[in-house]
Amino acid sequence: MTPTHTESAPQASGHAADLDRRVRELADSDIAQVGSVLRTQLADHAAVLTGVHPDLRPVSAVLARAGNRGKRLRASFCLWGARGATRGELPPGATQIAAAVELFHLAALIHDDIMDHSDQRRGLSTMHRHFADEHRHNSRIGDADAYGEAVAVLAGDLCLTWSDDILAEGTADLDRITRRQVRRIFSVMRDEAIAGQFLDVDGQTHAVTSATRAELVLRFKSAKYTISHPLRLGAAVAGAPADLLSAYDAIGIAAGEAFQLRDDLLGVIGDPAVTGKPTVDDIREGKRTLLIAWAEENADRIQRRVLDQHLGNPEVTHDGVREVCEVLRDTGAVQRVENRIAELAAQSTELIDASPVDEVTRHALAGLVARCVWRAA
């Protein structure tokens, strides 16, 4: 007898629940392993630092705390990229590669917060702000802010070097061709992320926002480095063929751009109590995002004056932030970004459905993309 729709629905629902459970079990195990690698790495280096002098303890402690926080999105994409290439088990070195991506990300955040003059990250004081406040609390001599920024630069540099250490460990036992491929992708990831960061900083020196330039920042500062490169690193460590690397790149660019567009929205109209970051930061720094570019395209004379007055103003008030947000909504820029996010999310979902990976990986990647795109923090 052919099953009716009502008879087959519980089976489909049960299958989805089984997939959810399997994905959750693997994800929890994978991220726990990444956390273990990071804790060991940070503890080993802390021993070296504090062995030089006890005054290094505060730096080591803050880095350890920062290393234990975060969404682990990049590590997750890396590990599922590897599982998709093997259709099952994690290949040797994958956990270390994922941990290396996370440490590189931590370095990028620390340095990005200095450049953006951000006071908070993930609900805590940023690295440079933490050490500036410590300087003041202990009544030290000299410029507290300069001290905090100097310590944060050094802390970020440490994370950069440590990420390379873990990468070397993860690739040590791979064959020469695979090791070269992994290191090449990692190197390109670093170059492109820093290039995107430069374009972001440089864009703040121009009076008019170029949509083309904003899209370049979107792609290279965030999209490829958040999803595309981690996926490809996971695939590469498993020795995946070129067609899977290409599929992952396409998925990563679409999903990654949607991720950053969501980040741009949250940066100005999000709830700071949820995001852990004040909405004033992006406006104060004059971030030239696609959201801003599209607002400028449709702004009338009065709305343009509001944007000119407040974007990039280090003394911008909360009322000024509110006025900018009104312009972003009234010009249709917010809705245009939401529409673009929906388009990119649908595109990435179609690409995942068509990708040459197993069902569990496909289900996991779809869930990760949804988590990136439809988030509140």
Side-chain angles (χ1 to χ4, degrees):
M1 177 178 176
T2 302
T4 64
H5 175 73
T6 54
E7 290 171 330
S8 61
Q11 295 175 3
S13 177
H15 182 61
D18 288 342
L19 281 175
D20 286 339
R21 184 165 51 252
R22 181 59 177 159
V23 166
R24 191 163 52 248
E25 289 171 352
L26 291 173
D28 289 346
S29 174
D30 288 352
I31 295 306
Q33 290 181 57
V34 170
S36 178
V37 170
L38 287 171
R39 282 191 298 274
T40 299
Q41 185 80 2
L42 291 167
D44 288 348
H45 286 290
V48 174
L49 294 174
T50 56
V52 172
H53 197 281
D55 282 355
L56 272 296
R57 283 180 185 146
V59 177
S60 301
V62 172
L63 282 172
R65 186 175 68 215
N68 282 323
R69 294 174 66 85
K71 301 180 181 73
R72 298 282 189 256
L73 283 174
R74 291 156 187 83
S76 297
F77 278 112
C78 181
L79 295 173
W80 281 111
R83 287 192 181 279
T86 62
R87 294 181 176 268
E89 300 301 316
L90 282 180
T95 302
Q96 286 82 1
I97 305 305
V101 173
E102 286 293 317
L103 266 184
F104 173 75
H105 178 52
L106 179 55
L109 291 182
I110 293 170
H111 287 164
D112 188 56
D113 287 337
I114 298 170
M115 287 180 269
D116 289 349
H117 307 291
S118 297
D119 294 329
Q120 285 189 317
R121 168 76 67 176
R122 297 168 178 168
L124 298 176
S125 293
T126 51
M127 189 76 67
H128 66 282
R129 180 57 53 209
H130 173 88
F131 284 103
D133 290 344
E134 182 191 72
H135 182 288
R136 293 188 180 92
H137 178 75
N138 293 323
S139 301
R140 298 187 179 190
I141 64 170
D143 188 312
D145 290 333
Y147 172 79
E149 289 180 4
V151 174
V153 167
L154 294 172
D157 288 348
L158 284 171
C159 291
L160 281 174
T161 60
W162 296 344
S163 70
D164 204 59
D165 288 344
I166 301 181
L167 181 72
E169 292 173 9
T171 57
D173 296 329
L174 301 178
D175 64 81
R176 181 176 57 85
I177 294 176
T178 303
R179 182 167 59 249
R180 182 184 300 170
Q181 173 83 313
V182 172
R183 293 202 66 92
R184 175 61 180 163
I185 294 173
F186 199 85
S187 178
V188 170
M189 177 188 74
R190 290 183 301 197
D191 287 351
E192 290 185 347
I194 292 171
Q197 179 68 48
F198 168 80
L199 292 176
D200 188 23
V201 171
D202 187 66
Q204 296 169 35
T205 68
H206 299 277
V208 178
T209 306
S210 162
T212 300
R213 184 96 159 191
E215 287 172 341
L216 280 175
V217 174
L218 186 72
R219 174 162 296 195
F220 291 107
K221 182 185 173 182
S222 186
K224 298 197 74 172
Y225 143 67
T226 301
I227 302 179
S228 173
H229 286 314
L231 278 173
R232 295 173 71 244
L233 280 167
V237 78
D243 65 332
L244 183 57
L245 291 172
S246 179
Y248 279 166
D249 192 41
I251 292 167
I253 289 173
E257 290 186 0
F259 169 86
Q260 185 55 45
L261 287 172
R262 175 63 62 200
D263 211 52
D264 292 342
L265 282 177
L266 293 174
V268 291
I269 64 173
D271 181 354
V274 178
T275 64
K277 187 176 180 179
T279 53
V280 70
D281 283 2
D282 285 0
I283 294 171
R284 181 180 59 202
E285 291 306 309
K287 289 285 185 182
R288 299 294 168 173
T289 62
L290 203 54
L291 173 66
I292 298 299
W294 284 344
E296 288 178 342
E297 283 181 9
N298 294 322
D300 60 27
R301 181 175 55 83
I302 295 174
Q303 291 169 329
R304 185 56 186 266
R305 187 184 304 153
V306 169
L307 295 177
D308 290 344
Q309 178 182 354
H310 298 303
L311 283 176
N313 178 5
E315 305 300 327
V316 66
T317 64
H318 288 291
D319 284 342
V321 171
R322 178 182 51 76
E323 290 175 14
V324 170
C325 290
E326 287 176 358
V327 170
L328 297 179
R329 289 189 174 92
D330 292 346
T331 57
V334 169
Q335 189 57 54
R336 188 174 176 183
V337 170
E338 286 285 9
N339 293 343
R340 181 59 179 154
I341 289 172
E343 291 172 2
L344 289 166
Q347 180 183 338
S348 64
T349 299
E350 291 175 2
L351 290 166
I352 290 170
D353 288 343
S355 63
V357 298
D358 60 285
E359 186 182 23
V360 174
T361 299
R362 197 173 292 119
H363 192 74
L365 291 178
L368 276 174
V369 168
R371 177 181 161 194
C372 286
V373 172
W374 309 115
R375 60 196 168 96

